[in-house]
Amino acid sequence: MSVPSCYKKETKPAKFCPGCGHSIVLKMLGQAIDELGIQKDAVFSIDIGCSLLAWDFYDVDTVQTHHGRTTPVAVGIKRGNPKSVVIAYTGDGGAYAIGLQSLLHSALRQENVTVITVNNTLYAMTGGQAAPTTMPHEVTDSTPNGDFTLESPLMGPELVSQIGNGDLYIARGSVSNPMTLKKYIKKAITHQMEGKGFSFVEALSICPTNWKTDAKGSFEFLKTMEEVYKLGEINRDGTS
Ligand SMILES: Cc1ncc(C[n+]2csc(CCOP(=O)(O)OP(=O)(O)O)c2C)c(N)n1
Ligand code: SF4
């Protein structure tokens, strides 16, 4: 797999934990930016969480925002410069807890931006607490016995599909299939470039550090996630 040319040229120490899924999502995003030829016009807006470790990943204009606020910042940039191609990048905690109103209202208002949300079922950067995406009976640092988890976790793409207005592009991919994930990311960004309105991709991702899993265990856990969170492009009625 080639290294995206929008990557910074200098070598820097890896910031993500070994085996982290963010690296796969970001590699696919980098390749998408290259293949669409948008390096000069792209603006990358990143949230607080492990996503912020990507702040100097690309040779692309980048802004780092308050936790949960990457979407409205991306919207502001797009409104100020409609020619820019704005990509907001956030964790599931940022998108679906503190930033949920920002996400939904951007979809409701048909804002012409692309949001990528990395779902690893918990708040990773702060030590692995339960999030709106924590699966039933999942053990996390704040649910050590798997108690007090939700009966059904928050389904971000399906929720956006119900609330958003206009021509939406919505999909859920997984780091288990990076090429399909890249296809969804490219379709989402193309949707924005064609001026069609809000686009949203959720990427199911692995967090070996907080899941306390080895490589095999991480992908087994991801398989369980894929049974709960259905992969594919999502229609306006929430079906895929
Ligand atoms: C306004 C605000 N609230 C809380 C925090 C603490 N905080 C930092 S990172 C984080 C969790 C991020 O989790 P998530 O968005 O799921 O991303 P991940 O680290 O899993 O990629 C939290 C709660 C903060 N920095 N700012
Ligand atoms: S804590 Fe989890 S999400 Fe964060 S860098 Fe490490 S493996 Fe990745």
Side-chain angles (χ1 to χ4, degrees), residues 14-238:
K15 293 178 189 147
F16 297 102
C17 307
C20 177
H22 271 288
S23 318
I24 302 172
V25 183
L26 289 164
K27 183 145 189 172
M28 292 306 105
L29 174 60
Q31 290 185 0
I33 290 171
D34 273 4
E35 286 166 22
L36 294 169
I38 55 167
Q39 184 179 353
K40 295 273 179 294
D41 293 327
V43 180
F44 188 44
S45 176
I46 48 178
D47 203 56
I48 288 176
C50 291
S51 59
L52 75 78
L53 301 173
W55 74 271
D56 63 349
F57 227 64
Y58 305 121
D59 201 0
V60 163
D61 286 345
T62 300
V63 59
Q64 203 267 305
T65 74
H66 284 298
H67 185 51
R69 294 294 174 261
T70 188
T71 306
V73 169
V75 166
I77 292 167
K78 184 73 180 185
R79 286 188 181 191
N81 179 9
K83 284 194 184 140
S84 58
V85 182
V86 188
I87 301 151
Y89 185 81
T90 174
D92 48 335
Y96 302 148
I98 191 170
L100 184 63
Q101 58 157 357
S102 304
L103 178 72
L104 294 182
H105 281 278
S106 299
L108 190 69
R109 289 196 310 262
Q110 299 176 253
E111 300 288 353
N112 193 25
V113 297
T114 301
V115 179
I116 299 173
T117 294
V118 175
N119 177 359
N120 52 24
T121 74
L122 38 70
Y123 293 95
M125 178 163 264
T126 42
Q129 298 85 1
T133 44
T134 298
M135 297 182 294
H137 308 297
E138 183 178 338
V139 171
T140 70
D141 271 18
S142 57
T143 55
N145 301 315
D147 298 340
F148 305 115
T149 51
L150 300 167
E151 205 172 297
S152 168
L154 190 140
M155 300 285 169
E158 288 80 359
L159 183 59
V160 170
S161 78
Q162 302 287 306
I163 302 261
N165 277 307
D167 187 3
L168 303 164
Y169 177 80
I170 306 171
R172 180 185 286 117
S174 170
V175 298
S176 67
N177 189 338
M179 288 304 152
T180 302
L181 178 61
K182 180 167 76 172
K183 182 179 85 179
Y184 294 156
I185 291 173
K186 281 178 80 173
K187 283 177 90 165
I189 296 173
T190 304
H191 189 84
Q192 177 187 164
M193 290 166 73
E194 291 172 351
K196 289 183 174 167
F198 197 75
S199 52
F200 183 57
V201 177
E202 182 183 275
L204 303 186
S205 183
I206 52 185
C207 176
T209 299
N210 287 300
W211 294 354
K212 303 169 182 64
T213 44
D214 59 12
K216 188 165 171 270
S218 295
F219 279 91
E220 279 167 5
F221 193 99
L222 186 60
K223 223 177 236 169
T224 312
M225 283 178 74
E226 290 172 4
E227 282 161 20
V228 174
Y229 297 106
K230 299 289 172 224
L231 300 179
E233 293 176 311
I234 291 161
N235 303 318
R236 289 304 302 267
D237 63 358

